[in-house]
Amino acid sequence: MPPSHPFDDDKLKEECGVFGVIGVADAANFVALGMHALQHRGQEAGGIVAHDPAFGFSSARRFGYVRDNFTKASLMETLPGALSIGHVRYSTAGSKGNTQIRDVQPFFGEFSMGGAAIAHNGNITNADALRKELIGRGSIFQSSSDSECIIHLMARSLQTNIPERMKDALRRVEGAFSVVAMTRTKLIGVRDPMGVRPLVLGRLGQGWVLSSETCGLDIIGAEFVREVAPGEMVVISEKEGVQSFHPFERAQPRFCIFEHVYFSRPDSILGGRSVYETRRQIGVELAKESPVEADLVCPVPDSGTPAAIGFSQQSGIPFAMGIVRNQYMGRTFIEPTEQIRNMGVRLKLNVNRALIKDKRVILVDDSVVRGTTSRKIKEMILDAGAAEVHFRIASPPTAWPCFYGVDTPQRDKLLAATMSEEEMRDHLAVDSLKFISLDGLYRAVGETKGRNAACPQYCDACFSGEYPVAPRDMIAKGFELKAAE
């Protein structure tokens, strides 16, 4: 397993990406490519399950990058068949550094009607309660993952086929889930009733594809068909094509708004909107809300770049790459010694001194979580001779943890949970600090009237503290929800 990167701990992390293919020869090879396109959603481990009528089910699970594992012919030849699913993983805060190979998805189970594998993106907020119940009834868990609950719930269902057993299982589950699963003959995709996490359907020749994002379709030349709807289950077979079911009670959709801000790749399409264009528009709104006199608009690469472009276009202040990212500073770099750690972000980012010297600089970043990286970047800019440093943040203050599939620090570790905007400015020691408003963010994603406070159009709990599904397990551990206003 590659060492945890010492300079990436100040960003929120999406925990998983899922991908599946049916009806295409050597499907696992296409799944590996799709996983590579979704690598930004999870870099710690990946797994593939495939099925071939002659050889049955086969699987491979590995720590590290897709490119380092699933590009080897000797491995991919062990995954034959025209049906395959895959998963890329980033461990949660509680298990980071303790990941075991048994925790790597997809999970596989053998049922009376045949085997099934399942890959899950999201987080089950009642997993502790379910696990306790299932263990009490005789289930034996092999991993620490909340996703394994689904397999055990399926095993205890009395339904006569696997899709129906999956419906039974997922009706017991609370929280967020986008699931890609497979039987011997079917590829299955499901989204939770609120559609918190993304899942799309594509066509590849005579075959079909499921992916967390459209960028996964692009890499294999698949045609985007549509998004899997919130609360929908699609069951795909080579003979019957795509069948659609709605096994859950309908709910108000609450897609994760942070997918637009940071998680999804900028070349993906979400809800019919270009992620890149949305992020550029966030910069436009930010410039309208929080203008400042300056000489340069510089992104904190790479996630701040589209918003910085929008800020520059709206403000008329020149855009410049004042910070350059070392593209070869990956997670498999040398084991960091204390001396290396003390070099801070300089191993990953370097200031373009010729541009920065004596300039008033606006730095545009996607978020401030703990604030540790922001302080280091500010120091680098000042060391390069900048006259002023102004931070503009392309999301509202992150003041609440996410329980729906995002690795978030505990609330007392979030800078915005303990400080006002002015206190954060003083803490970071910058000339000014401004976040986009929640209404401004909603306008940027296409809601022209801003946020509907009575019935928000997105899940924005990390900003607002309003959780669309109560995190039952965390409440049982003492987590206090936001008091009603």
Side-chain angles (χ1 to χ4, degrees):
M1 181 177 176
S4 180
H5 196 293
F7 319 124
D8 272 349
D9 64 350
D10 200 26
K11 293 291 183 183
L12 300 184
K13 301 290 196 308
E14 174 57 277
E15 286 171 10
C16 301
V18 293
F19 199 82
V21 174
I22 187 171
V24 179
D26 298 318
N29 288 304
F30 290 94
V31 168
L33 288 169
M35 291 163 60
H36 179 71
L38 300 174
Q39 190 79 85
H40 59 289
R41 302 184 75 89
Q43 296 100 48
E44 292 200 354
I48 295 177
V49 173
H51 183 269
D52 181 84
F55 298 98
F57 285 95
S58 55
S59 67
R61 293 184 284 181
R62 298 289 189 274
F63 289 124
Y65 286 128
V66 174
R67 70 180 184 219
D68 295 332
N69 292 300
F70 296 100
T71 54
K72 299 173 182 176
S74 58
L75 175 62
M76 299 311 294
E77 288 170 357
T78 69
L79 299 166
L83 175 54
S84 180
I85 65 172
H87 184 272
V88 288
R89 181 179 195 272
Y90 181 86
S91 62
T92 60
S95 60
K96 195 187 305 178
N98 298 315
T99 301
Q100 305 293 322
I101 196 69
R102 63 176 180 265
D103 295 321
V104 180
Q105 299 185 43
F107 292 130
F108 178 79
E110 194 73 57
F111 304 99
S112 58
M113 67 287 296
I118 184 168
H120 166 220
N121 171 216
N123 198 53
I124 299 172
T125 57
N126 64 332
D128 289 351
L130 288 174
R131 179 183 281 256
K132 184 178 180 180
E133 173 193 328
L134 288 162
I135 290 174
R137 294 167 62 187
S139 293
I140 300 173
F141 280 75
Q142 301 296 316
S143 77
S144 63
S145 172
D146 61 339
S147 309
E148 192 182 348
C149 289
I150 300 171
I151 287 283
H152 289 285
L153 289 169
M154 289 171 63
R156 293 191 169 273
S157 170
L158 299 178
Q159 297 297 326
T160 57
N161 63 62
I162 288 173
E164 290 300 321
R165 287 191 173 209
M166 185 172 292
K167 291 178 187 178
D168 264 5
L170 293 176
R171 288 187 185 113
R172 295 283 317 279
V173 165
E174 298 173 6
F177 53 86
S178 281
V179 168
V180 168
M182 61 180 282
T183 68
R184 290 171 295 183
T185 59
K186 293 180 172 65
L187 178 66
I188 303 169
V190 195
R191 284 180 79 190
D192 70 75
M194 296 183 302
V196 177
R197 305 254 74 85
L199 189 64
V200 299
L201 175 68
R203 190 80 200 238
L204 181 62
Q206 298 302 306
W208 297 91
V209 184
L210 291 169
S211 175
S212 288
E213 294 182 38
T214 59
C215 64
L217 306 180
D218 296 338
I219 197 172
I220 61 172
E223 174 191 0
F224 171 73
V225 175
R226 63 178 178 86
E227 293 186 355
V228 176
E232 182 184 14
M233 169 185 277
V234 292
V235 180
I236 310 169
S237 65
E238 292 189 60
K239 291 183 178 179
E240 298 175 329
V242 180
Q243 295 177 294
S244 175
F245 304 92
H246 291 271
F248 313 108
E249 291 185 12
R250 293 193 180 274
Q252 172 68 30
R254 296 288 293 273
F255 184 66
C256 171
I257 201 165
F258 215 79
E259 291 277 359
H260 287 285
V261 174
Y262 178 69
F263 294 140
S264 293
R265 259 178 44 169
D267 51 332
S268 285
I269 305 294
L270 293 177
R273 292 177 60 86
S274 158
V275 174
Y276 173 88
E277 177 55 29
T278 294
R279 291 176 186 168
R280 189 196 67 83
Q281 192 60 37
I282 290 173
V284 170
E285 291 289 338
L286 191 52
K288 290 177 181 178
E289 290 185 350
S290 302
V292 62
E293 291 187 6
D295 303 305
L296 296 174
V297 178
C298 299
V300 176
D302 293 312
S303 54
T305 301
I309 291 171
F311 194 106
S312 171
Q313 291 171 340
Q314 176 63 31
S315 65
I317 300 171
F319 173 90
M321 294 301 295
I323 302 173
V324 178
R325 183 185 182 95
N326 179 358
Q327 300 295 339
Y328 300 98
M329 177 59 189
R331 296 178 66 85
T332 52
F333 191 61
I334 58 175
E335 183 72 31
T337 62
E338 188 62 31
Q339 183 180 8
I340 294 294
R341 287 181 185 276
N342 290 338
M343 294 173 68
V345 295
R346 295 177 189 273
L347 283 173
K348 175 170 278 191
L349 304 174
N350 192 40
V351 177
N352 192 337
R353 291 175 175 269
L355 280 176
I356 293 298
K357 185 173 172 56
D358 299 325
K359 299 293 196 303
R360 297 169 297 173
V361 179
I362 301 170
L363 290 177
V364 180
D365 203 355
D366 60 89
S367 60
V368 172
V369 182
R370 295 180 179 90
T372 52
T373 300
S374 299
R375 291 191 71 173
K376 292 172 184 175
I377 291 172
K378 178 267 302 183
E379 291 166 2
M380 289 169 59
I381 294 291
L382 289 177
D383 288 347
E388 297 176 6
V389 178
H390 303 271
F391 263 113
R392 293 296 179 268
I393 310 301
S395 62
T398 303
W400 295 85
C402 174
F403 302 118
Y404 305 130
V406 178
D407 178 48
T408 316
Q410 293 181 348
R411 187 158 192 257
D412 60 3
K413 299 293 193 299
L414 296 169
L415 206 63
T418 58
M419 296 183 185
S420 68
E421 190 173 279
E422 279 301 303
E423 288 171 333
M424 283 189 278
R425 182 192 68 79
D426 292 342
H427 175 75
L428 297 176
V430 292
D431 292 279
S432 70
L433 169 69
K434 294 292 181 182
F435 296 80
I436 193 170
S437 68
L438 200 47
D439 273 336
L441 177 58
Y442 269 77
R443 287 192 295 270
V445 299
E447 301 292 342
T448 56
K449 295 182 180 180
R451 183 180 189 263
N452 182 342
C455 185
Q457 305 93 315
Y458 288 85
C459 177
D460 55 26
C462 55
F463 307 132
S464 66
E466 297 176 17
Y467 294 93
V469 175
R472 187 195 303 187
D473 288 345
M474 296 306 299
I475 292 171
K477 294 175 182 177
F479 179 78
E480 295 183 7
L481 296 176
K482 182 180 179 181
E485 295 180 355

